[in-house]
Amino acid sequence: MNLLIHDLDEKEWGQISQDYQGWEVIAPSKEIKPCAGCFGCWLKTPGECVIKDGYNRMGYLIHKADELVVMTRYTYGGFSSFVKNVFDRSIGWVLPYFRIVDNEMHHKMRYPESKKITVIFRGHDLTKEDQADAKHYVEAVCRNFNGVIKDIRFEETTQLQEVKESSAGSQPASDMASGKTILFNGSLRGDNSNTSKFLNKLSESIGEEAETISLVPYLNKPEELVQTLSGADKIVLGFPMYVDGIPSEVLKVMELMEKICPPGDKKIYTVVNMGFYESCQIKNVLRQVRKWSQKCGFSYGGGVAIGGGEMMGALIQTINAPAGPVKYVVEALQTLGAVIGNSSAIDDIYADAYKFPRAAYMFMAGRGWPKAAKQNGLKKKDLLRRIEN
């Protein structure tokens, strides 16, 4: 079985559908739900997502495929929000346990296989830099999923001449400015997320009042969320890294902002965390936020990349945080906070654990998964489950 994942509209698909007769096809659908970051595909129903919307077995479907082709609109150096959603929902394909690949922490494989992957990016007038960014992103995804890149291609598409549909009407962006700073929590775990903890620590150093809003209440009303974000002069995008990129639901908000927000003197900052130890793996994500800012006509002011997110989130609010493993994270957030308060900009900061070795982090994480699974009535061996049909 061969598998195609695409984001084409009906007209575009009609032009090429004959080329994929007999293939399993995953096409755009409003039925797909975003990954909730709940780890249920590891700790409750190993190998498949707990959200039963027809996409709960995406990891198994990729496993079954002899070859995988991904056809996606080029979006800030990576996949479009729909294609990204499919990959976010496929994380059960791998195990929660870690391995080292090219001196980076990645997931162990649930199935002993290497998947051949072809990615076709569609876009208008993509530069060599755009193409290089996309290739770097695909390489990162394949490194974690043990994929083998068969081909990466770029197809030219017709540029759409769209007029921005600002909900604020024709009022100039400068007149809309309110002086507001918004800290946007893009984690679907809401107030219980590591993202929330990092943004709370950041807010202490900004030196001015900042409003924190969560993505969760706006899941079914993205236009209202974008209108709120549009009224801010400074926006901090906070979220966890999913599948080496921006979570699909955050990416969807960014796509909508590009479509309807007028360009203007708006500064964008970001705080991104992940479960892997090395913060350098977040570089593709920060690059995507920077490219999105440029695309929207905003100014990118810098960001903080945080490795070892689960441990750092647990330690960030402790009394001895400035001297413990989270020391570099605290310092980075304090630096970014001062920059936001001054409406200035810095180079991205990569914050790793302070005097806490990777081997110890991997050991602790490896012991934690069976304990968490036990609370759901699972045994250690159940985490390794392989779906057969």
Side-chain angles (χ1 to χ4, degrees), residues 220-235:
N220 296 319
K221 42 186 179 180
E223 291 83 3
E224 183 177 331
L225 171 60
V226 169
Q227 185 174 7
T228 300
L229 293 173
S230 298
D233 285 337
K234 291 175 283 189
I235 301 173

Side-chain angles (χ1 to χ4, degrees), residues 70-79 118-139 149 151-157:
V70 179
M71 192 174 296
T72 176
R73 182 177 68 257
Y74 174 91
T75 307
Y76 321 128
F79 300 154
T118 295
V119 181
I120 303 170
F121 286 98
R122 301 177 299 110
H124 176 70
D125 200 21
L126 298 179
T127 66
K128 290 183 178 180
E129 179 183 299
D130 293 334
Q131 295 183 18
D133 289 344
K135 288 179 180 178
H136 288 320
Y137 177 68
V138 174
E139 289 169 356
I149 300 175
D151 193 15
I152 300 177
R153 301 202 302 270
F154 298 89
E155 294 184 351
E156 179 71 14
T157 59

Side-chain angles (χ1 to χ4, degrees), residues 260-291:
I260 70 176
C261 289
D265 189 20
K266 191 185 301 294
K267 286 195 174 294
I268 304 297
Y269 304 91
T270 188
V271 175
V272 184
N273 70 93
M274 66 170 184
F276 295 147
Y277 182 86
E278 311 88 3
S279 62
C280 63
Q281 293 196 51
I282 300 177
K283 60 182 180 297
N284 289 325
V285 180
L286 298 184
R287 188 184 297 119
Q288 289 175 334
V289 176
R290 188 181 302 113
K291 294 183 81 72

Side-chain angles (χ1 to χ4, degrees), residues 285-355:
V285 180
L286 298 184
R287 188 184 297 119
Q288 289 175 334
V289 176
R290 188 181 302 113
K291 294 183 81 72
W292 167 77
S293 301
Q294 296 170 350
K295 191 84 170 176
C296 293
F298 305 150
S299 298
Y300 180 69
V304 172
I306 301 172
E310 289 296 323
M311 179 177 72
M312 301 303 192
L315 296 175
I316 192 69
Q317 298 291 352
T318 58
I319 296 176
N320 65 340
V326 77
K327 169 182 168 65
Y328 290 148
V329 176
V330 173
E331 293 176 348
L333 293 175
Q334 289 173 341
T335 299
L336 183 63
V339 167
I340 295 170
N342 294 327
S343 298
S344 53
I346 56 169
D347 294 332
D348 295 326
I349 303 174
Y350 293 85
D352 291 321
Y354 173 71
K355 293 186 177 181

